[in-house]
Amino acid sequence: MKSKDLRRVTMLVTSRTAKNLERLARMDGQPTIGRVMDKLVREKMLSLRHPEYGRSLSHLGRSERIK
């Protein structure tokens, strides 16, 4: 298996943001907040490329999206 092209990034965030990232990691079953950040960035890039994707999901609550 080919190794991934990874970069180390350091970010400065507020304590509330850090707590929310840890909470999202637990909710999603991710081992680190770095994976949560990757997921958030991928979703944001997708919504920027395809605006209808972002609008179609942004107004729905999480429970409505799961159905």
Side-chain angles (χ1 to χ4, degrees):
M1 187 166 119
K2 186 179 175 185
S3 65
K4 295 183 180 184
D5 188 21
L6 302 175
R7 300 286 190 269
R8 187 172 303 275
V9 177
T10 303
M11 286 185 262
L12 185 64
V13 297
T14 64
S15 60
R16 178 176 287 181
T17 299
K19 188 175 280 191
N20 286 332
L21 285 170
E22 291 167 358
R23 184 173 160 225
L24 285 170
R26 280 193 312 272
M27 287 171 57
D28 200 33
Q30 298 294 336
T32 65
I33 62 172
R35 299 231 179 139
V36 173
M37 294 296 298
D38 283 342
K39 189 173 185 177
L40 290 171
V41 170
R42 277 193 303 272
E43 288 176 359
K44 181 62 178 178
M45 291 303 295
L46 213 145
S47 71
L48 289 173
R49 279 191 221 129
H50 305 285
E52 67 278 357
Y53 172 79
R55 268 185 268 132
S56 67
L57 295 179
S58 63
H59 70 282
L60 298 175
R62 186 172 194 271
S63 61
E64 293 176 18
R65 278 188 245 158
I66 294 173
K67 291 180 184 177

